[in-house]
Amino acid sequence: GNSVTQMEGPVTLSEEAFLTINCTYTATGYPSLFWYVQYPGEGLQLLLKATKADDKGSNKGFEATYRKETTSFHLEKGSVQVSDSAVYFCALRTLSNTGKLIFGQGTTLQVKP
Amino acid sequence: EAGVAQSPRYKIIEKRQSVAFWCNPISGHATLYWYQQILGQGPKLLIQFQNNGVVDDSQLPKDRFSAERLKGVDSTLKIQPAKLEDSAVYLCASSTPGLALNTQYFGPGTRLTVL
């Protein structure tokens, strides 16, 4: 079945450090891939998405590239800020499953000044 | 544009009691989703509506959970009777019709604690 696996957290970084959060997926067909972010006390927000192989999604300095050969969609940011502290969720959606999102377990990022 | 509204934000009940959650989607969004997010896990779809019809309820524990979406706008999710393992955040999301490309917008969630 379809599934998403994320790296274990929490990830603790100093401000301006480089961030990578790994995400791999298993899916039938050609899924769309997403990163959502959940700030403390808030709902999930779409951070970026990619709908086909080799697409790069980007937003707010974050990037992720859809790698079909490695079934991965790793999230990266060159220089994190304290305000990036949140929980990050990788998710997939296939055309065959009515549009529902299938999420990974989430990775908590803590950025220290 | 107003976002997805949910109420209450927090609810504490004892096991075997009943509880109901309310969701008001973004105006014009025909598709509405209820997800359950257990602590330390990603959200899991419980039920999906297209207007007032159910599209997917395969993961809904139908012996205790029910949901409705009258008139294709607001939705209510009910649990009766609640169990300890129902403690979670219940998220409502909405989107415009379509499958692969339309963004789902999430509400702030209702945090349920079952004692």
Side-chain angles (χ1 to χ4, degrees):
Chain A
N2 300 323
S3 66
V4 176
T5 302
Q6 293 180 232
M7 64 186 290
E8 293 277 340
V11 174
T12 303
L13 296 173
S14 298
E15 209 164 19
E16 299 183 2
F18 185 86
L19 168 71
T20 300
I21 299 178
N22 290 337
C23 171
T24 57
Y25 68 89
T26 301
T28 54
Y30 302 94
S32 295
L33 301 174
F34 304 82
W35 277 100
Y36 277 81
V37 59
Q38 189 172 37
Y39 297 104
E42 299 184 16
L44 285 165
Q45 301 174 28
L46 178 64
L47 181 59
L48 53 84
K49 66 182 180 183
T51 57
K52 61 183 187 296
D54 300 324
D55 267 3
K56 178 185 284 188
S58 62
N59 186 25
K60 299 181 181 180
F62 291 89
E63 292 183 341
T65 301
Y66 187 167
R67 301 287 188 200
K68 191 173 188 302
E69 64 276 14
T70 55
T71 61
S72 65
F73 193 55
H74 305 320
L75 183 67
E76 297 182 335
K77 187 175 186 183
S79 176
V80 294
Q81 306 300 313
V82 172
S83 57
D84 294 327
S85 298
V87 183
Y88 293 81
F89 292 92
C90 186
L92 69 82
R93 185 167 62 190
T94 72
L95 286 174
S96 64
N97 66 354
T98 68
K100 74 178 180 184
L101 290 164
I102 296 171
F103 287 88
Q105 74 273 31
T107 302
T108 299
L109 171 65
Q110 298 174 337
V111 181
K112 297 186 175 181
Chain B
E1 178 182 76
V4 177
Q6 290 187 248
S7 67
R9 291 295 307 275
Y10 305 92
K11 190 74 177 179
I12 300 174
I13 62 172
E14 296 189 348
K15 60 183 179 184
R16 292 188 290 272
Q17 287 187 324
S18 63
V19 64
F21 313 127
W22 174 82
C23 173
N24 182 241
I26 293 173
S27 177
H29 282 194
T31 308
L32 185 146
Y33 308 81
W34 283 102
Y35 289 85
Q36 180 192 56
Q37 185 180 9
I38 293 172
L39 186 65
Q41 299 180 19
K44 181 186 76 173
L45 181 73
L46 291 175
I47 188 167
Q48 177 184 346
F49 292 94
Q50 181 80 13
N51 295 307
N52 59 349
V54 175
V55 174
D56 183 351
D57 64 355
S58 58
Q59 302 269 57
L60 187 73
K62 298 180 185 65
D63 57 333
R64 297 184 301 104
F65 286 64
S66 65
E68 61 182 10
R69 190 181 184 199
L70 299 176
K71 301 180 182 178
V73 182
D74 293 7
S75 178
T76 302
L77 177 69
K78 298 180 181 178
I79 308 175
Q80 182 178 15
K83 293 185 175 181
L84 296 177
E85 59 261 36
D86 299 331
S87 294
V89 176
Y90 291 84
L91 297 167
C92 180
S94 70
S95 70
T96 52
L99 294 178
L101 301 181
N102 293 333
T103 299
Q104 292 183 27
Y105 295 88
F106 285 81
T110 296
R111 183 177 298 276
L112 173 66
T113 302
V114 182
L115 302 175

